[in-house]
Amino acid sequence: MNIAILGFGTVGSGVYDIVENGDRRMRVTAIFIRPTHPATMPEMTTNFDAILADPNIDVVVEAIGGLHPAYDYILRALQHGKHVVTANKAVVAQHLPEFITTAAQHHVRFYFEATTGGGIPWIRNLERAARIDQIDTIEGIFNGTSNYILDQMQRAHLDFDPVLLAAKDMGYAEADPSADIDGDDVVNKLKISAALAYDMVPPRDVPKFGIRNVTKADIDFFASRHQVLRLIGKSRRVGNHYSMVVEPRLYPATALAANTFENFNLIRLHGQTIGDLQFYGQGAGKYPTANAIVQDLFDILENAPHLTRHFDQNLQFDADLNTADYLLRADPITFAMFNDKDTEVVRDHLLIKQIPTGEMHRLMRGVLAIDAHAFMAAIGDSELTTRNVKEQVDQGVIE
Amino acid sequence: MNIAILGFGTVGSGVYDIVENGDRRMRVTAIFIRPTHPATMPEMTTNFDAILADPNIDVVVEAIGGLHPAYDYILRALQHGKHVVTANKAVVAQHLPEFITTAAQHHVRFYFEATTGGGIPWIRNLERAARIDQIDTIEGIFNGTSNYILDQMQRAHLDFDPVLLAAKDMGYAEADPSADIDGDDVVNKLKISAALAYDMVPPRDVPKFGIRNVTKADIDFFASRHQVLRLIGKSRRVGNHYSMVVEPRLYPATALAANTFENFNLIRLHGQTIGDLQFYGQGAGKYPTANAIVQDLFDILENAPHLTRHFDQNLQFDADLNTADYLLRADPITFAMFNDKDTEVVRDHLLIKQIPTGEMHRLMRGVLAIDAHAFMAAIGDSELTTRNVKEQVDQGVIE
């Protein structure tokens, strides 16, 4: 099987290393680079059309990232009868149904394990779980950069800015870290996961609040309550309604999420017969991400079927499907916005009880208009911690 | 695809429920029961030979358990050209290579996801990881019953016997709980995992020490040291040598293993490019186990390839490959056995530093001959907790 890799940065070169040192049935025969990149290897080319036209190339690995020209390259590769494997979460979150349809029309595969959870085989296992169960919950730490920042703030007692600087130094954060700390990266991964889990097209806008405004004082306050802050993505389905949200969330200290340190990811699904299933691993990095891409390459090589989705389920997005308690730290003048809610002042924070998630995010936009440094965190219903006895009876775990 | 289920207990009836309410391409057409079982359904039969002779039956699900007659039934079903799926860890741990060879000879599949980790897709993901990496470590909580006991002893401050009674009441422990509390169940699951990971036949005897002797006082002592006790199976490979051990192990309170409560399982693998990958879920119970069996049925239905293993790698089993610190609680007269070791008395316990695992287990047999109630626990090197910076640099996680 002959492979063309588009882009030879961290991920592209990682794929090259694994393929060249691995199974002899795979070979990298072309590496597409920008004209500004030095052509140091014979496989390197700046001519994408030549790759499309080469009948010996079976698979295109897209490792460029970003929406353009990646979207165009993926689509044209599929249209030219080439399988495509990508790690590009932005383009997949936006165009997954189109890619899947185009691949089916041209009898090729479109795989994207590396988009979500890095080295964690999340996509594959979500697809497998969905063969049997209707997945009703997806929840997790999908972003290693933000987890590294929150963990270091708590365990090394540092403030946001110095930790972000250190994260950039260590290669955990990019020069512009907005996508990681503002939650957009998690939104993309959650969209991909929910699209597969529920077989539908996710909404364009997902309620989202990041960790840019969190302070050392916030973290210390949460710690005094034995709560650990994590940036999470969560989606829940009830009947024909579903919710999606990306937000900071507080977990009790004994939750697996609270004990997920450094830049690791922890992602959970819940289904009727499987119950609670969680995956922990390296959510980014050269070889973990390349590993996920090469797993997709093996599935193409071995003709291993993936779940077929048509994204045609008629489900209703409802941002207010879930309620939660929220802790809000903001100029107290904003607390008046919550006068009709059940609230309690806890030190510098306002505790708002059982408010619908969508409503809280809408009100938070008003809060931020007055106090641009305000911060809020949901209080986890500890689903990542505790088991439900009734559920275990239903599952036959308790007889 | 027509399925015969052998045995209609918890697991067999769970498979029936999922198949009958699931994909219409699968059907249960025969249920093999003992003559003493009431034949309440038209599919039920006491004639195994009729199942073998029925050309319409494609797959046999073995859900009887135990070595005999399960071994004979599995082998004959394969020889009659029927795919076999089983949850029977005892028979698979002992006969895996023979079953695989027989299946290959008769061009059918032999799958056994449900043997290890219950609903956790452990076998499948271990196989997938092994397509790319040489797996060097397997470690985890493979047994829910023993985890439930240890967790209740610690968190509900109870002694061993009342917790075991409660576990039996809740259906977590069998009438004879020896296999769960003495580690034999974990040995079987570890053998299956190591056989797949290293592509070899595991040794007949694996160093093993269970939790039968643990007391509330032991647990309280460990808690005072911020350590949490778990019964684990662990295997490690270094070059052409590998170790396997089943033993109680102490983890720091922030380890994922220490925060795996109730009857849940947590299983980890480590490979060069994937790094640390961990799976958490329901390790037993009617529907989680049945889910794992039905996943195998889907793989047969969809012709999804699994990893091909020949179990012919020439590796050397070395019980002393690893060293660890151990805490020993025993009649102090036995402490003399460790005179040539680096030791320290810590309250009622002897701390033995960096002793090879196999040697510690051999010496423990001598200790037990003098004090039948003695207990020991390894001190985890916290691999389940902390990341290795050097490894992350190698993986390209840190640039």
Side-chain angles (χ1 to χ4, degrees):
Chain A
M1 192 169 83
N2 295 327
I3 299 159
I5 299 175
L6 311 186
F8 207 63
T10 306
V11 172
S13 62
V15 172
Y16 180 86
D17 291 349
I18 294 180
V19 169
E20 288 306 294
N21 295 304
D23 196 295
R24 294 197 181 168
R25 294 171 295 171
M26 293 185 199
R27 235 170 8 135
V28 176
T29 55
I31 297 168
F32 174 71
I33 52 169
R34 280 171 300 183
T36 51
H37 190 291
T40 51
M41 298 159 66
E43 300 92 336
M44 287 180 169
T45 172
T46 57
N47 187 346
F48 181 65
D49 290 325
I51 290 174
L52 290 182
D54 185 344
N56 292 318
I57 290 178
D58 305 295
V59 190
V60 169
V61 171
E62 187 271 304
I64 304 172
L67 285 176
H68 298 287
Y71 166 76
D72 185 52
Y73 287 174
I74 290 172
L75 213 56
R76 286 171 65 204
L78 293 171
Q79 287 161 347
H80 280 77
K82 309 211 181 288
H83 307 288
V84 173
V85 174
T86 182
N88 186 331
K89 52 221 157 198
V91 79
V92 173
Q94 199 159 323
H95 300 287
L96 179 57
E98 183 181 3
F99 292 149
I100 295 275
T101 306
T102 307
Q105 281 165 354
H106 294 86
H107 310 291
V108 289
R109 315 287 191 96
F110 176 72
Y111 291 163
F112 46 93
E113 178 66 67
T115 57
T116 311
I120 297 174
W122 165 247
I123 296 292
R124 197 73 180 96
N125 281 287
L126 178 63
E127 287 180 346
R128 287 174 67 84
R131 299 195 295 190
I132 295 175
D133 280 339
Q134 183 171 294
I135 308 298
D136 51 51
T137 308
I138 293 165
E139 178 176 5
I141 299 165
F142 285 93
N143 182 273
T145 305
S146 56
N147 205 63
Y148 177 83
I149 292 171
L150 294 175
D151 179 36
Q152 286 292 304
M153 287 181 74
Q154 170 144 20
R155 292 198 300 159
H157 304 287
L158 296 168
D159 218 324
F160 187 87
D161 290 333
V163 175
L164 178 58
L165 271 178
K168 284 182 188 175
D169 273 357
M170 296 178 78
Y172 285 176
E174 291 171 55
D176 175 4
S178 316
D180 290 323
I181 66 179
D182 293 334
D184 303 273
D185 175 78
V186 182
V187 167
N188 284 335
K189 293 165 176 175
L190 190 64
K191 280 183 179 178
I192 295 168
S193 304
L196 285 176
Y198 310 146
D199 198 10
M200 52 91 216
V201 178
R204 193 175 172 81
D205 291 316
V206 169
K208 171 197 79 151
F209 185 71
I211 59 166
R212 192 181 281 272
N213 285 359
V214 72
T215 65
K216 188 169 170 299
D218 291 327
I219 301 272
D220 290 346
F221 170 62
F222 302 143
S224 75
R225 296 165 53 95
H226 308 287
Q227 289 171 327
V228 178
L229 188 70
R230 294 291 181 250
L231 179 63
I232 63 123
K234 180 168 180 175
S235 179
R236 203 168 139 245
R237 175 179 176 173
V238 179
N240 288 324
H241 288 68
Y242 72 101
S243 63
M244 290 170 72
V245 66
V246 172
E247 63 187 4
R249 207 171 176 87
L250 293 163
Y251 291 97
T254 54
L256 292 184
N259 292 283
T260 297
F261 303 122
E262 303 276 350
N263 59 336
F264 277 92
N265 283 193
L266 176 77
I267 321 179
R268 162 184 179 248
L269 65 82
H270 184 277
Q272 201 191 341
T273 70
I274 195 66
D276 201 17
L277 191 59
Q278 300 195 37
F279 302 86
Y280 167 96
Q282 201 63 260
K286 179 173 183 166
Y287 289 116
T289 306
N291 181 295
I293 288 176
V294 178
Q295 292 289 3
D296 281 344
L297 294 173
F298 266 104
D299 282 354
I300 292 169
L301 179 72
E302 297 176 347
N303 205 26
H306 282 218
L307 187 72
T308 304
R309 286 304 202 197
H310 300 98
F311 308 104
D312 57 359
Q313 292 297 301
N314 191 12
L315 302 185
Q316 185 80 37
F317 178 72
D318 180 359
D320 289 328
L321 186 62
N322 304 311
T323 60
D325 291 355
Y326 281 82
L327 278 168
L328 169 69
R329 189 256 306 140
D331 187 324
I333 205 171
T334 64
F335 291 178
M337 291 184 198
F338 301 90
N339 269 347
D340 61 332
K341 307 292 172 199
D342 182 5
T343 62
E344 192 183 317
V345 175
V346 188
R347 282 212 250 164
D348 296 337
H349 289 69
L350 185 70
L351 172 65
I352 304 139
K353 295 177 189 167
Q354 292 305 307
I355 182 170
T357 297
E359 184 180 6
M360 184 67 211
H361 280 252
R362 286 189 295 275
L363 287 167
M364 189 66 188
R365 284 204 289 275
V367 171
L368 288 168
I370 294 167
D371 177 358
H373 299 286
F375 184 72
M376 71 168 184
I379 299 180
D381 40 13
S382 69
E383 278 177 293
L384 282 180
T385 329
T386 57
R387 69 187 186 85
N388 179 325
V389 172
K390 183 188 171 304
E391 176 187 293
Q392 293 214 347
V393 172
D394 293 345
Q395 277 186 287
V397 174
I398 304 174
E399 274 157 6
Chain B
M1 192 170 81
N2 294 328
I3 298 159
I5 300 175
L6 313 187
F8 207 62
T10 305
V11 173
S13 61
V15 172
Y16 180 87
D17 291 350
I18 294 180
V19 169
E20 289 304 296
N21 296 305
D23 196 293
R24 296 201 180 163
R25 293 171 295 171
M26 294 185 201
R27 237 171 6 138
V28 176
T29 55
I31 298 168
F32 174 70
I33 51 170
R34 281 172 297 185
T36 52
H37 190 290
T40 52
M41 296 159 66
E43 300 92 337
M44 287 179 170
T45 172
T46 57
N47 187 346
F48 181 64
D49 290 325
I51 290 173
L52 290 182
D54 185 344
N56 293 318
I57 290 177
D58 305 293
V59 191
V60 169
V61 171
E62 187 271 305
I64 303 171
L67 285 176
H68 299 286
Y71 166 75
D72 184 54
Y73 287 174
I74 291 171
L75 214 57
R76 287 170 65 202
L78 293 171
Q79 288 162 345
H80 280 78
K82 308 206 180 294
H83 308 287
V84 173
V85 174
T86 182
N88 186 332
K89 52 219 156 200
V91 79
V92 173
Q94 199 158 322
H95 300 287
L96 179 57
E98 183 181 1
F99 292 150
I100 296 275
T101 306
T102 307
Q105 282 165 352
H106 295 86
H107 310 291
V108 289
R109 314 286 190 96
F110 176 73
Y111 290 162
F112 47 94
E113 178 65 67
T115 57
T116 311
I120 298 174
W122 165 246
I123 296 292
R124 197 73 181 93
N125 281 288
L126 178 63
E127 288 180 345
R128 287 174 67 85
R131 299 196 295 192
I132 295 175
D133 281 338
Q134 184 172 292
I135 308 298
D136 51 52
T137 307
I138 294 164
E139 178 177 4
I141 299 166
F142 285 92
N143 182 273
T145 305
S146 56
N147 205 64
Y148 177 82
I149 292 171
L150 294 175
D151 179 37
Q152 285 292 303
M153 286 180 75
Q154 169 145 17
R155 292 198 301 158
H157 303 287
L158 296 168
D159 219 324
F160 188 88
D161 290 333
V163 175
L164 179 58
L165 270 178
K168 285 183 188 176
D169 272 358
M170 295 177 80
Y172 284 176
E174 290 172 54
D176 176 5
S178 317
D180 291 323
I181 65 178
D182 293 334
D184 304 273
D185 176 77
V186 181
V187 167
N188 283 334
K189 293 166 176 173
L190 189 64
K191 280 184 178 177
I192 295 168
S193 304
L196 285 176
Y198 310 146
D199 199 9
M200 52 90 219
V201 178
R204 193 177 171 79
D205 292 315
V206 170
K208 172 197 81 153
F209 185 71
I211 60 166
R212 193 181 281 273
N213 285 357
V214 71
T215 64
K216 187 170 171 302
D218 291 328
I219 301 273
D220 290 346
F221 171 62
F222 301 143
S224 75
R225 296 166 54 94
H226 307 289
Q227 290 171 325
V228 177
L229 188 70
R230 294 291 181 252
L231 178 64
I232 63 123
K234 179 167 180 176
S235 179
R236 205 169 137 243
R237 175 179 176 172
V238 179
N240 288 322
H241 289 68
Y242 72 101
S243 63
M244 291 170 71
V245 66
V246 173
E247 63 188 4
R249 206 171 177 89
L250 293 163
Y251 291 97
T254 54
L256 292 184
N259 293 284
T260 297
F261 302 122
E262 303 276 347
N263 59 335
F264 276 91
N265 282 194
L266 177 77
I267 320 179
R268 161 183 179 249
L269 65 82
H270 184 276
Q272 202 192 340
T273 70
I274 195 67
D276 200 19
L277 192 58
Q278 301 194 38
F279 303 87
Y280 167 96
Q282 201 62 260
K286 179 172 182 164
Y287 288 116
T289 306
N291 181 296
I293 288 176
V294 177
Q295 291 290 4
D296 281 344
L297 293 173
F298 267 103
D299 282 354
I300 291 170
L301 179 72
E302 296 176 348
N303 205 26
H306 283 219
L307 188 71
T308 304
R309 285 304 203 197
H310 300 100
F311 307 103
D312 57 359
Q313 291 298 299
N314 192 13
L315 303 185
Q316 186 79 37
F317 178 71
D318 180 358
D320 289 328
L321 186 63
N322 304 310
T323 60
D325 291 354
Y326 281 82
L327 278 168
L328 170 69
R329 189 255 308 138
D331 187 325
I333 206 171
T334 64
F335 291 179
M337 291 185 198
F338 300 91
N339 270 348
D340 62 331
K341 307 293 172 199
D342 182 7
T343 62
E344 192 182 316
V345 175
V346 188
R347 279 213 250 164
D348 297 336
H349 288 70
L350 186 70
L351 173 65
I352 304 139
K353 295 176 190 168
Q354 293 305 307
I355 182 171
T357 298
E359 185 180 5
M360 184 67 211
H361 280 252
R362 286 188 295 274
L363 287 167
M364 190 65 188
R365 284 204 290 274
V367 170
L368 288 168
I370 293 167
D371 178 358
H373 299 286
F375 184 72
M376 72 168 187
I379 299 180
D381 40 11
S382 68
E383 278 177 295
L384 283 179
T385 328
T386 57
R387 70 185 184 87
N388 179 324
V389 172
K390 184 190 170 303
E391 175 185 295
Q392 294 214 348
V393 172
D394 292 345
Q395 278 187 284
V397 173
I398 304 173
E399 274 157 8

